[in-house]
Amino acid sequence: MRWPPFVRVAVLVVVCSGLFGLFVLDGARWGPVHTSAVEPVWGAADPTDLTWGPIAVSVIEQGPLRGDPSGPAPSDEWYVWSVSVLGGCWIALRAVLGWRFDSRSLAFEPRDRPRGVLEALRDLFKRGRSARTRRGRER
Amino acid sequence: MADLLTHVLAAYVLATICSWCIEGVTPAVRTVAMIGAVVPDLNRMDLVVPPATIESVLGVPFSWSAFHTLGGVAFAVVVGAALVAPRYRRRVAALLALGAGAHLVLDSFLFTSSGYSESFLWPLTDHRFATDGFYKSYDRWPLVVAAVVTGIVRLVDRRRSQSPTAPRAARE
């Protein structure tokens, strides 16, 4: 279905407002998690004393926390972040090479033919050079 | 959450398998499923803009973790579908939902200290499923498994797209 531009903008505003409302609702659900100084407690004698940030309510039902209380080592965190950044770069590259923004319809569209990395860099270089030339002529 | 690359690879595998059965799932559209796999992890926005900052500015409670739920994903899918050209809307919505759904399902198998999964189905329900957990978020083996499966699927996909009977979209 082809929507006129103002309908699309209205839909986007409504949906983004709904998403914001969900963030607020979620914030209210977590309650004092962002303001409370309560930290997880491991191996406490009384399970009712156990809290784990936002899931404190259920801890009472399930008993003590389990697993290694020391949590991930710095190398583990480094691993997770580095492979996650790699994943993010991969997607960004695929999105840039496979999709384009059509300024007439104000929408993203797949390219007719996906660009290669070298081709994308060459286009970027050409565009930069033509912009510099244009600026030089204007002066 | 498992690392992002594992989620992205899982979405790539699922989207590639979909492309074997459904016409129109081109490599560019497969990327959308991979983008969908990132959506639940947008709850990490709290590292960039802490919820406490937003709460103090706006005066309302706020949490980015809604992104890691069914409700947050549903809204993000609609936003994504509204940003593309009309003829791609359904495909984009379906593949965004596929990638994000795969992410939530994979994360439901995570080991948690509480023994309960997160409430993924919020705001429909706050229920948290009891789970033993198969892996921790920083385990290496899920990524190894995902990489091997991706390699196999990519190999099969390449063979299929090189066959003369393959649809044109698959060969692009």
Side-chain angles (χ1 to χ4, degrees), chain B residues 78-90:
Chain B
V78 178
V79 170
L83 288 175
V84 296
R87 63 179 180 279
Y88 299 106
R89 242 169 233 158
R90 279 189 189 173

Side-chain angles (χ1 to χ4, degrees), chain B residues 66-162:
Chain B
F67 267 128
H68 212 270
T69 63
L70 189 67
V73 163
F75 275 104
V77 165
V78 178
V79 170
L83 288 175
V84 296
R87 63 179 180 279
Y88 299 106
R89 242 169 233 158
R90 279 189 189 173
R91 265 177 278 175
V92 164
L95 283 155
L96 276 176
L98 177 77
H103 185 130
L104 294 182
V105 169
L106 275 180
D107 274 2
S108 67
F109 294 118
L110 267 179
F111 176 92
T112 59
S113 302
S114 62
Y116 287 88
S117 70
E118 289 178 45
S119 45
F120 294 113
L121 300 179
W122 188 81
L124 291 183
T125 168
D126 235 345
H127 185 75
R128 295 165 55 231
F129 299 96
T131 172
D132 269 343
F134 291 107
Y135 48 86
K136 291 178 181 168
S137 55
Y138 46 87
D139 279 345
R140 270 69 160 170
W141 69 262
L143 178 58
V144 174
V145 171
V148 169
V149 173
T150 304
I152 294 168
V153 166
R154 198 168 156 73
L155 209 67
V156 174
D157 185 54
R158 189 164 285 185
R159 284 207 178 153
R160 284 176 62 94
S161 61
Q162 281 169 354

